[in-house]
Amino acid sequence: MKRPPSDTAQLRAVLGLNIRLYRTRRELTQRQLAQMAGTSPNRIGAIEKGETSTTVDVIERLAIVLKVEPWKLLVPDEQ
């Protein structure tokens, strides 16, 4: 079942905000995170802005670098 576009956009926004949150907590630049996760800084920027979606594989690699469970990148931060 396909999700309505607004739900997809909201999930992309949550993912982007969480990546930025955990990245800054680890004091990493977008470039550093991208290098460690095997992707490009432009892609990290686009994901953080909610402009693009990404794969489960990339989410997993980002979670490993950010030292967080992958599912935590997909739920709104409660702090």
Side-chain angles (χ1 to χ4, degrees):
M1 182 179 207
K2 212 172 186 181
R3 254 192 291 207
S6 61
D7 287 350
T8 303
Q10 184 178 354
L11 186 57
R12 280 196 317 259
V14 167
L15 175 64
L17 289 172
N18 284 337
I19 290 172
R20 181 177 291 135
L21 173 72
Y22 288 111
R23 176 179 62 77
T24 57
R25 284 182 182 173
R26 296 268 179 247
E27 298 181 351
L28 294 171
T29 65
Q30 288 181 348
R31 182 174 300 281
Q32 291 168 324
L33 177 59
Q35 184 177 27
M36 294 168 78
T39 191
S40 74
N42 289 340
R43 187 165 185 193
I44 297 296
I47 294 168
E48 285 187 358
K49 293 176 195 169
E51 295 175 347
T52 188
S53 59
T54 192
T55 65
V56 172
D57 293 339
V58 172
I59 292 171
E60 181 180 34
R61 292 195 316 258
L62 291 169
I64 289 167
V65 172
L66 296 171
K67 298 180 181 173
V68 64
E69 292 295 323
W71 64 267
K72 288 190 175 185
L73 296 176
L74 299 171
V75 295
D77 187 57
E78 295 180 10
Q79 294 182 350

